[in-house]
């Protein structure tokens, strides 16, 4: 038998009695009581008593351990060994064995709802959601005004794929506790799940927006566990209309504030939330919010730290930055064809004819080499990350003195695609299948440069 995590043997004082405080004592009061007891019972003179005091303090100072201890405060002494075994197996991750011990306790004392709750949790952790939902239903029947039991039952329904049933139960949860962060979050998940399985989701998106706004309004004044609000604001961002950028940016700024003001829980939730945003929102939209996304990422140094393997979140951030630069190319005076080319190269998906479109754009860049060469050099100097996306072609285009071969290769590929796809049969007036040739006369290296500089071509644009 394992040493008990909590000892409820007959005649023993509980942790609150050991420290001489009430069960309602706050953290500071518990801390003061501990130091007072330690001064009175020093470890050198009272080793066993000191150990008892230390165990009591270590349990009550930790919120999770204290909650677990409080949950079984009235456990009959004869059940203590079984309870300790259950706790030990839960600690080891053997939730199936833990459930067996909880069930044994409930068989002898079916009135212990605190143990019934732990039993349901162990069943959920063991992915036995069918049995777990039965236990949560029983707890809800026995405690109809307990919002937490209702929320747990809804979560169990959701895990089983019963999204409508979960949504119905969550209405009761929120009616019992309108400020339930977990309840609102799960309600949002139910709508998102329905959207994923719906053929027409317009009405569901309206429902999602309404629910998110109601959730934010309901939990605005909640000061405990503010880090949980991060998820709500992420959903608000995802559900906000694309046309309302000001509101969307406000949600991202609120996420950054919550992460900045929160502790480790906020950073952990922030990482999960950021991954959710990056995975669920099209990259072309994220480019608009690059500065706000970057601000969130900067608050999560774990995302950008050097690691032995590739960092998927770091890759996401880099992709957003590149997308942002692509969307701003035209504003910086680069040709439209560059923007179109990079959009294809950086697309999240590939169409069958994307390769031909890229070949056609390359053909145009080569065919108007004198026009585009200066822009390519500028791109290489000012935006090397973008240039690197297609550097093999760009480098060859800049180096070549005679682009005829490159033009011929791309023209041949385009013609082959049209022939294989039936283009020429469908378009009898399209001409022969001969490779496309340039129509402009070839410029000699010693000819005047067509840009009008007065220099020879070889010392100007042809350099």
């Amino acid at each position: 038998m394992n040493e008990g995590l909590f000892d409820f043997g007959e005649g023993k004082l509980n942790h609150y009695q050991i420290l001489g405080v009430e069960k309602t004592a706050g953290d500071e009061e518990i801390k003061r009581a501990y130091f007072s007891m330690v001064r009175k019972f020093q470890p050198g003179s009272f080793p066993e008593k000191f150990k008892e005091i230390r165990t009591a303090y270590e349990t009550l100072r930790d919120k999770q351990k204290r909650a677990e201890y409080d949950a079984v405060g009235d456990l009959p002494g004869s059940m203590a060994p079984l309870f300790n075994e259950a706790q030990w197996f839960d600690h080891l991750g053997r939730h199936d064995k833990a459930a067996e011990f909880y069930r044994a306790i409930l068989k002898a004392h079916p009135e212990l709802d605190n143990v019934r709750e732990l039993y349901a949790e162990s069943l959920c952790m063991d992915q036995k959601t069918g049995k777990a939902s039965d236990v949560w239903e029983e707890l809800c029947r026995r405690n109809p005004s307990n919002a937490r039991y209702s929320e747990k039952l809804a979560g169990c329904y959701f895990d089983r794929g019963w999204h409508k049933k979960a949504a119905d139960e969550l209405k009761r949860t929120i009616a019992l506790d309108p400020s339930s962060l977990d309840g609102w979050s799960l309600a949002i998940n139910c709508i998102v799940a329905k959207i994923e399985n719906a053929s027409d989701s317009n009405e569901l998106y309206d429902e999602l927006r309404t629910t998110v706004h109601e959730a934010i309004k309901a939990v605005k004044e909640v000061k405990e566990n503010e880090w949980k609000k991060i998820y709500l604001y992420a959903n608000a961002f995802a559900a906000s209309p694309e046309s309302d950028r000001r509101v969307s940016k406000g949600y991202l700024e609120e996420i950054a504030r919550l992460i900045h003001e929160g502790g480790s829980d906020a950073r952990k939730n922030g990482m999960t939330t950021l991954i959710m945003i990056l995975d669920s929102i099209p990259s072309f939209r994220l480019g608009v919010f690059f500065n706000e996304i970057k601000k969130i990422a900067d608050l999560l140094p774990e995302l950008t730290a050097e690691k032995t393997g590739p960092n998927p979140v770091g890759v996401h951030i880099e992709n957003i930055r590149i997308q942002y630069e692509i969307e701003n190319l035209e504003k910086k005076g680069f040709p439209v064809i560059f923007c179109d080319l990079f959009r294809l190269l950086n697309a999240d998906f590939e169409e069958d004819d994307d390769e031909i479109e890229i070949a056609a754009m390359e053909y145009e860049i080569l065919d108007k080499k004198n026009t585009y060469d200066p822009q390519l050099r500028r791109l290489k100097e000012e935006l090397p990350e973008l240039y690197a996306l297609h550097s093999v072609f760009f480098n060859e285009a800049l180096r070549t003195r005679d682009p005829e071969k490159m033009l011929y290769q791309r023209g041949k590929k385009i013609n082959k695609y049209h022939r294989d796809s039936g283009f020429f049969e469908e378009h009898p007036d399209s001409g022969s299948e001969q490779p496309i040739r340039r129509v402009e006369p070839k410029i000699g290296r010693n000819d005047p440069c067509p840009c009008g500089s007065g220099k020879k071509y070889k010392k100007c644009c042809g350099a």
Side-chain angles (χ1 to χ4, degrees), residues 81-243:
L82 292 178
F83 180 78
N84 281 322
E85 284 296 300
Q87 290 280 288
W88 180 250
F89 279 117
D90 262 338
H91 176 71
L92 294 175
R94 292 291 309 279
H95 305 294
D96 55 335
K97 297 295 291 183
E100 291 179 12
F101 283 101
Y102 290 133
R103 189 169 62 248
I105 295 172
L106 290 170
K107 189 174 182 180
H109 295 276
E111 75 281 1
L112 297 175
D113 282 348
N114 42 24
V115 175
R116 196 180 305 278
E117 180 182 351
L118 294 171
Y119 175 46
E121 294 280 12
S122 292
L123 289 172
C124 287
M125 294 298 291
D126 197 31
Q127 298 184 348
K128 293 179 179 176
T129 52
K131 289 183 178 179
S133 61
D134 292 340
V135 179
W136 289 121
E137 286 170 356
E138 175 65 18
L139 282 167
C140 287
R141 281 193 293 270
R142 295 161 69 99
N143 305 271
S145 61
N146 191 310
R148 189 163 57 85
Y149 288 166
S150 175
E151 182 263 315
K152 291 289 187 180
L153 174 59
C156 206
Y157 287 155
F158 183 85
D159 290 340
R160 299 186 73 180
W162 297 354
H163 301 144
K164 185 180 184 307
K165 202 169 182 180
D168 290 341
E169 182 61 33
L170 285 165
K171 291 177 183 177
R172 194 171 77 87
T173 304
I174 292 168
L176 291 169
D177 182 8
S179 62
S180 171
L181 281 162
D182 290 332
W184 282 111
S185 296
L186 192 52
I188 290 167
N189 277 341
C190 287
I191 302 173
V192 171
K194 286 194 289 185
I195 289 173
E196 290 174 351
N197 297 316
S199 54
D200 184 5
S201 57
N202 288 335
E203 289 185 7
L204 290 173
Y205 269 111
D206 291 337
E207 182 184 352
L208 178 61
R209 277 190 281 271
T210 301
T211 304
V212 166
H213 294 151
E214 287 178 356
I216 290 174
K217 184 178 179 180
V219 304
K220 191 173 183 180
E221 302 303 322
V222 177
K223 296 303 179 185
E224 293 183 3
N225 295 330
E226 274 212 323
W227 57 270
K228 288 186 178 181
K229 294 182 185 178
I230 293 171
Y231 177 76
L232 296 182
Y233 281 103
N235 276 285
F237 170 77
S240 58
E242 291 187 20
S243 58

Side-chain angles (χ1 to χ4, degrees), residues 13-135:
L13 298 176
N14 65 41
H15 290 339
Y16 294 99
Q17 291 170 330
I18 289 170
L19 294 179
V21 296
E22 296 294 329
K23 194 172 181 179
T24 55
D27 293 342
E28 286 300 318
E29 187 179 351
I30 289 172
K31 187 175 181 180
R32 287 196 300 270
Y34 166 70
F35 284 113
S36 176
M37 294 296 288
V38 166
R39 284 194 295 270
K40 186 176 179 181
F41 299 98
Q42 296 183 9
S45 304
F46 304 93
E48 292 303 318
K49 185 66 176 178
F50 174 80
K51 182 180 178 182
E52 192 177 56
I53 294 168
R54 184 67 187 174
T55 300
Y57 177 62
E58 290 290 346
T59 300
L60 298 184
R61 69 183 289 197
D62 184 285
K63 289 185 178 180
Q64 183 176 347
K65 288 182 180 179
R66 183 177 180 179
E68 292 172 354
Y69 182 82
D70 289 344
V72 292
D74 299 323
L75 189 71
S78 60
M79 294 292 103
L82 292 178
F83 180 78
N84 281 322
E85 284 296 300
Q87 290 280 288
W88 180 250
F89 279 117
D90 262 338
H91 176 71
L92 294 175
R94 292 291 309 279
H95 305 294
D96 55 335
K97 297 295 291 183
E100 291 179 12
F101 283 101
Y102 290 133
R103 189 169 62 248
I105 295 172
L106 290 170
K107 189 174 182 180
H109 295 276
E111 75 281 1
L112 297 175
D113 282 348
N114 42 24
V115 175
R116 196 180 305 278
E117 180 182 351
L118 294 171
Y119 175 46
E121 294 280 12
S122 292
L123 289 172
C124 287
M125 294 298 291
D126 197 31
Q127 298 184 348
K128 293 179 179 176
T129 52
K131 289 183 178 179
S133 61
D134 292 340
V135 179

Side-chain angles (χ1 to χ4, degrees), residues 187-368:
I188 290 167
N189 277 341
C190 287
I191 302 173
V192 171
K194 286 194 289 185
I195 289 173
E196 290 174 351
N197 297 316
S199 54
D200 184 5
S201 57
N202 288 335
E203 289 185 7
L204 290 173
Y205 269 111
D206 291 337
E207 182 184 352
L208 178 61
R209 277 190 281 271
T210 301
T211 304
V212 166
H213 294 151
E214 287 178 356
I216 290 174
K217 184 178 179 180
V219 304
K220 191 173 183 180
E221 302 303 322
V222 177
K223 296 303 179 185
E224 293 183 3
N225 295 330
E226 274 212 323
W227 57 270
K228 288 186 178 181
K229 294 182 185 178
I230 293 171
Y231 177 76
L232 296 182
Y233 281 103
N235 276 285
F237 170 77
S240 58
E242 291 187 20
S243 58
D244 201 340
R245 294 182 180 179
R246 182 183 61 81
V247 172
S248 298
K249 287 184 178 182
Y251 292 140
L252 293 177
E253 288 169 356
E254 188 64 18
I255 291 173
R257 183 190 70 78
L258 290 167
I259 293 173
H260 178 70
E261 295 178 0
S264 59
D265 284 336
R267 287 191 294 275
K268 182 179 179 181
N269 205 33
M271 279 190 260
T272 304
T273 300
L274 185 55
I275 292 170
M276 184 193 80
I277 291 174
L278 295 173
D279 284 342
S280 62
I281 308 300
S283 59
F284 72 84
R285 187 181 178 209
L286 287 174
V288 176
F289 304 104
F290 172 74
N291 291 331
E292 287 74 22
I293 294 287
K294 184 68 167 60
K295 187 182 294 183
I296 294 173
D298 288 343
L299 293 170
L300 304 170
E302 298 90 337
L303 298 181
T304 53
E306 289 293 329
K307 296 184 179 180
T308 54
N311 182 343
V313 181
V315 171
H316 271 306
I317 298 294
E318 181 63 18
N319 285 342
I320 292 173
R321 194 178 64 77
I322 289 174
Q323 185 66 39
Y324 180 74
E325 295 292 356
I326 291 172
E327 297 304 323
N328 281 277
L329 269 179
E330 211 171 334
K331 294 179 182 177
K332 295 181 178 180
F334 286 98
V336 175
I337 192 172
F338 283 18
C339 305
D340 294 339
L341 176 61
F342 284 124
R343 285 191 188 105
L344 272 181
L345 293 170
N346 202 51
D348 293 332
F349 56 91
E350 293 183 4
E351 297 288 350
D352 293 338
D353 57 352
D354 280 357
E355 187 179 349
I356 301 305
E357 284 195 52
I358 291 172
M361 292 180 194
E362 291 176 348
Y363 187 95
E364 182 177 344
I365 291 171
L366 289 165
D367 196 42
K368 298 178 180 177

Side-chain angles (χ1 to χ4, degrees), residues 384-431:
E385 296 86 355
L386 284 189
Y387 186 90
L389 289 178
H390 211 41
S391 59
V392 173
F393 167 74
F394 292 152
N395 288 335
E396 189 178 1
L398 286 172
R399 282 197 304 264
T400 185
R401 304 295 187 189
D402 185 1
E404 287 291 335
K405 183 178 179 181
M406 295 178 67
L407 281 165
Y408 175 79
Q409 290 170 341
R410 281 149 185 83
K412 187 176 180 181
K413 180 187 289 187
I414 295 167
N415 285 338
K416 183 178 184 303
Y417 171 77
H418 286 159
R419 182 174 62 251
D420 292 345
S421 63
F423 176 85
F424 289 107
E425 287 77 2
E426 296 171 9
H427 302 79
D429 298 330
S430 60

